[in-house]
């Protein structure tokens, strides 16, 4: 824990993180009585999020549950959780995650998060003080006998692992950019009429993906160079994940009709 986390001086944290309302450096002084509580809607905090960041190490397991796409600007990998904005089709009306569906690490780390100071020189462990599952008389305390609890230590280790994976993901994306494999794509849905006739296609989303055509067009030398980077397994997992789009659309339709450009 840094000096800030021990109450010796709180850094000015910059930027905002998706899902987090009020992240503050974890400290004994501020959080000695707090911890994790069992709540009625454990995944309610992510019920309105239709995409979250994903690390490249998650591609293999995530590809069996959801599409993996990339943000238009920095090409950050994203797990698609719903076919329209504001809808997470994996969270049911009771706030529970769908059984057997993959839960991205970005969600599993909540309400903990690493935050950088203004100079981006240090990372501190923070906790969202406004998280519904954080409160007094907890089931899992943050501190025990003046020291971080086993729960908090486990969360800190998870954050360290996540940060390593995040940096590895940036390096992997740099490789894909180097080989110019990204392209713009779109996914559409064709509704069926009462008599089974096909209706007019509806665009669900525009997104960035790896081009299978560009990948196949690489000459032998370039493909071998790409193979030697170790990037191929994640590339193929991403391409397989795109087969989940139709299931995602159908899943979302059970909750709400499709909306163009979600």
């Amino acid at each position: 824990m840094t000096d800030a986390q021990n109450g010796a001086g709180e850094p000015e944290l910059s930027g905002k993180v998706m899902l987090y309302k009020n992240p503050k450096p974890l400290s004994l002084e501020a959080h000695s009585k707090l911890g994790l509580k069992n709540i009625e809607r454990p995944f309610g905090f992510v019920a309105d999020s239709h995409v979250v960041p994903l690390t490249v190490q998650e591609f293999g397991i995530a590809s069996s549950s959801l599409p993996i796409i990339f943000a238009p600007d920095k090409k950050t990998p994203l797990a698609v959780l719903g076919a329209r904005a504001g809808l997470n089709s994996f969270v049911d009306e009771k706030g529970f995650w769908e059984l057997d569906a993959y839960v991205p690490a970005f969600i599993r780390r909540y309400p903990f998060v690493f935050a950088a100071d203004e100079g981006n020189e240090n990372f501190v462990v923070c906790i969202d003080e406004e998280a519904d599952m954080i409160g007094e008389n907890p089931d899992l305390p943050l501190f025990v006998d003046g020291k971080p609890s086993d729960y908090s230590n486990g969360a800190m280790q998870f954050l360290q692992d996540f940060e390593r994976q995040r940096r590895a993901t940036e390096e992997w994306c740099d490789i894909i950019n180097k080989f110019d494999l990204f392209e713009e794509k779109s996914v559409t849905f064709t509704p069926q009429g009462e008599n089974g006739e096909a209706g007019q296609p509806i665009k669900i989303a525009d997104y960035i993906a790896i081009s299978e055509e560009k990948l196949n067009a690489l000459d032998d030398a370039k493909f071998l160079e790409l193979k030697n980077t170790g990037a191929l397994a994640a590339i193929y997992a991403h391409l397989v994940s795109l087969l989940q789009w139709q299931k995602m659309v159908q899943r979302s339709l059970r909750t709400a009709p499709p909306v163009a450009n979600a």
Side-chain angles (χ1 to χ4, degrees):
M1 299 174 71
T2 66
D3 289 341
Q5 292 167 269
N6 285 316
E10 183 174 307
E12 292 292 331
L13 301 179
S14 60
K16 293 183 179 180
V17 184
M18 182 189 303
L19 304 182
Y20 295 79
K21 301 174 184 177
N22 188 28
K24 294 292 183 180
L26 181 65
S27 71
L28 177 62
E29 180 181 8
H31 306 122
S32 62
K33 297 181 180 180
L34 302 182
L36 191 75
K37 304 183 299 180
N38 290 319
I39 58 176
E40 291 186 358
R41 293 175 52 83
F43 286 97
F45 68 94
V46 74
D48 296 332
S49 300
H50 72 298
V51 294
V52 295
L54 198 72
T55 65
V56 69
Q57 288 84 353
E58 299 176 88
F59 280 23
I61 188 170
S63 64
S64 65
S65 297
L66 45 82
I68 301 167
I69 62 174
F70 298 87
D73 48 0
K74 296 183 179 180
K75 305 299 188 295
T76 302
L78 301 172
V80 180
L81 306 178
R84 57 170 296 182
L87 171 67
N88 183 341
S89 59
F90 289 100
V91 178
D92 64 22
E93 66 278 2
K94 295 182 180 180
F96 287 90
W97 198 271
E98 180 177 315
L99 186 64
D100 297 330
Y102 181 68
V103 183
F106 186 90
I107 296 172
R108 285 184 278 124
R109 70 176 180 169
Y110 188 82
F112 291 88
V113 66
F114 266 152
D117 60 19
E118 283 289 349
N120 289 318
E121 296 179 353
N122 298 298
F123 284 92
V124 296
V125 176
C126 295
I127 191 165
D128 189 352
E129 293 183 337
E130 295 184 20
D132 291 339
M133 69 278 289
I134 294 297
E136 295 187 0
N137 302 314
D139 297 286
L140 294 170
L142 296 175
F143 292 91
V144 175
D145 297 330
K147 298 180 180 180
S149 65
D150 290 343
Y151 166 66
S152 293
N153 283 328
M156 293 177 196
Q157 183 61 55
F158 189 91
L159 289 180
Q160 292 174 11
D161 293 341
F162 184 87
E163 179 62 19
R164 284 193 291 268
Q165 293 175 12
R166 186 193 66 78
R167 294 181 181 182
T169 300
E170 289 183 346
E171 294 173 359
W172 182 86
C173 289
D174 288 342
I175 292 172
I176 306 304
N177 267 316
K178 174 185 175 182
F179 285 84
D180 190 27
L181 295 179
F182 286 118
E183 69 173 357
E184 294 183 0
K185 287 190 175 185
S186 63
V187 59
T188 60
F189 168 72
T190 302
Q192 299 294 318
E194 294 182 359
N195 298 323
E197 73 279 5
Q200 291 295 320
I202 301 172
K203 182 184 290 187
I204 300 298
D206 294 315
Y207 63 97
I208 303 297
I210 291 175
S211 168
E212 189 171 1
E213 290 75 15
K214 288 185 177 181
L215 178 64
N216 292 334
L218 293 176
D219 60 36
D220 291 347
K222 280 289 186 181
F223 187 83
L224 180 59
E225 181 184 351
L226 178 62
K227 176 179 179 293
N228 288 338
T229 67
L232 281 180
I235 289 175
Y236 289 129
H238 156 67
L239 294 174
V240 168
S241 81
L242 299 180
L243 300 176
Q244 300 295 332
W245 263 119
Q246 291 306 311
K247 288 183 179 179
M248 177 63 64
V249 172
Q250 293 296 332
R251 185 193 306 273
S252 297
L253 283 175
R254 293 196 292 268
T255 303
V259 174
N261 297 322

